[in-house]
Amino acid sequence: MAITKVPFNSVYGSGEIEESYVSITMPGAPADAKRICRFIHISDLHIATFRPEDPEEEKKTAIDNTKFWTQFKFFVTQDGEGKKKTLTPLESTEVIAERIRALSPDAVFLTGDTVDFPSVTNFMKAKEFMDALNSKCFMAPGNHDRIENGADQALADAFTLAVGTNADFAVDTVFGIDIVRIDDGLGTVTREQVEKLRLQLERGRPTIVLLHAPVMTESVVAPAMGMWGDDLSKWVIGFNKENKENVEFLELLNSNRDHVLSVFAGHVHLITGGGEGKDSGEGFSPDEVLQYTANPTFMGFLRVIDILG
Ligand SMILES: [Fe+2]
């Protein structure tokens, strides 16, 4: 589960993308299993932009929030004279998109917070980004990717274009693997989602689960506490046994770990699951579902997932 630094050149200068490489073997695969497909996992793009005709308030939010995310100097490039620049979330997505096209995956997983705040422009930009990947995209929406009931029609239409109409729970099959997307962006799942997951897992099919908020596994707890403090109830599903649904959801994933190839999630803005966080106390329990979380794209991160079978 290596992390490699991949150099790039762009209109914003040169830099390095951090790539996590994961290979997962299908249940029952032969000893000399070969790659049958490749996926990319990205998360938390936090796209924040505006057009000149947008309302002043939206323009201000886009500018302020872009400043907020860039102040940490996460993803830095350098020009020919050595001058440094921190990429904005939007610029980061352009660089990451270029790399994804070069990797030519069979599908891209987006695990939420694709936009930073709901606006027609942000959702349209998210859609444009996905369309430019030349690959199927599957998105589990995050807490930032939502609109209020009664939102105006233009916003509702843009949301649907970017996020889709069945964001709550959806299953698609790619290369014989069921990709399940679940909207747990508000830190909880519903009874309906639990029952749909139960039915899906009873089928015994190889399944990948995409979430925004990760479920409570040993691999995520120590790193997430280091970042967000000891109370992870807003960050991790099942951390506090918040409600019956979250607990059942977690148990379902753990008890079906033989055919749940992995859970991929975002939200915590951290790379976990591949042993990368060992220094911060990341542990692994053999009783828990395999789960990986991702750094945001504005930190210059993506994950390559090869499925062997
Ligand atoms: Fe986020």
Side-chain angles (χ1 to χ4, degrees):
M1 315 304 156
I3 292 217
T4 52
K5 306 260 190 188
V6 178
F8 68 87
N9 284 304
S10 72
V11 290
Y12 307 115
S14 57
E16 286 179 333
I17 294 172
E18 210 178 9
E19 285 185 15
S20 152
Y21 178 79
V22 170
S23 70
I24 299 174
T25 306
M26 292 279 265
D32 62 341
K34 307 221 166 30
R35 185 171 101 192
I36 51 173
C37 56
R38 167 170 280 183
F39 303 126
I40 302 274
H41 173 205
I42 55 173
S43 200
D44 296 83
L45 287 63
H46 285 271
I47 289 171
T49 187
F50 61 91
R51 295 167 300 173
E53 64 269 34
D54 285 341
E56 287 308 314
E57 199 187 316
E58 277 181 18
K59 287 187 197 170
K60 187 176 176 325
T61 308
I63 292 166
D64 289 350
N65 293 15
T66 296
K67 269 190 202 147
F68 175 79
W69 292 119
T70 46
Q71 71 179 309
F72 305 106
K73 299 188 168 38
F74 286 129
F75 193 19
V76 178
T77 56
Q78 194 165 300
D79 68 13
E81 275 117 49
K83 195 167 159 249
K84 293 197 161 132
K85 168 185 168 57
T86 301
L87 299 190
T88 66
L90 189 60
E91 291 162 349
S92 305
T93 62
E94 291 174 32
V95 169
I96 294 289
E98 192 60 42
R99 177 66 183 149
I100 292 175
R101 284 189 287 272
L103 286 161
S104 182
D106 295 295
V108 177
F109 303 152
L110 296 98
T111 53
D113 288 0
T114 306
V115 302
D116 192 57
F117 63 94
S119 73
V120 172
T121 301
N122 285 346
F123 285 127
M124 296 305 283
K125 202 67 183 172
K127 168 78 173 136
E128 201 180 287
F129 166 79
M130 290 186 280
D131 286 349
L133 297 178
N134 306 326
S135 179
K136 279 193 192 97
C137 288
F138 299 112
M139 188 204 295
N143 45 311
H144 288 250
D145 306 313
R146 44 195 73 239
I147 54 172
E148 312 220 322
N149 284 338
D152 75 56
Q153 197 57 43
L155 184 61
D157 290 347
F159 170 84
T160 304
L161 262 180
V163 181
T165 48
N166 54 354
D168 211 37
F169 190 104
V171 185
D172 299 89
T173 305
V174 181
F175 287 86
I177 301 164
D178 288 353
I179 313 292
V180 181
R181 298 172 272 147
I182 299 169
D183 179 1
D184 70 341
L186 296 178
T188 190
V189 290
T190 61
R191 172 55 44 195
E192 202 186 342
Q193 287 171 319
V194 172
E195 294 315 321
K196 284 184 175 170
L197 181 67
R198 189 190 312 280
L199 283 176
Q200 165 64 28
L201 297 181
E202 275 172 8
R203 301 175 69 204
R205 294 184 41 76
T207 299
I208 284 177
V209 178
L210 308 182
L211 303 174
H212 179 56
V215 289
M216 215 281 282
T217 55
E218 212 178 316
S219 64
V220 84
V221 168
M225 279 183 173
M227 179 94 135
W228 304 106
D230 287 349
D231 181 7
L232 295 179
S233 41
K234 276 199 200 135
W235 298 98
V236 173
I237 297 280
F239 177 74
N240 259 345
K241 302 194 171 15
E242 306 82 27
N243 55 51
K244 246 172 83 181
E245 286 74 23
N246 282 10
V247 172
E248 276 180 51
F249 187 80
L250 174 61
E251 281 169 0
L252 270 174
L253 290 169
N254 287 339
S255 59
N256 287 281
R257 63 189 297 284
D258 57 332
H259 60 280
V260 177
L261 303 182
S262 183
V263 175
F264 294 99
H267 194 44
V268 288
H269 292 198
L270 282 169
I271 306 167
T272 72
E276 294 95 339
K278 264 188 190 136
D279 294 345
S280 56
E282 181 183 9
F284 299 94
S285 162
D287 303 324
E288 291 175 340
V289 70
L290 182 65
Q291 173 172 255
Y292 294 91
T293 65
N295 266 354
T297 52
F298 62 73
M299 292 175 82
F301 176 83
L302 64 82
R303 173 173 285 119
V304 180
I305 306 148
D306 280 346
I307 305 291
L308 312 181

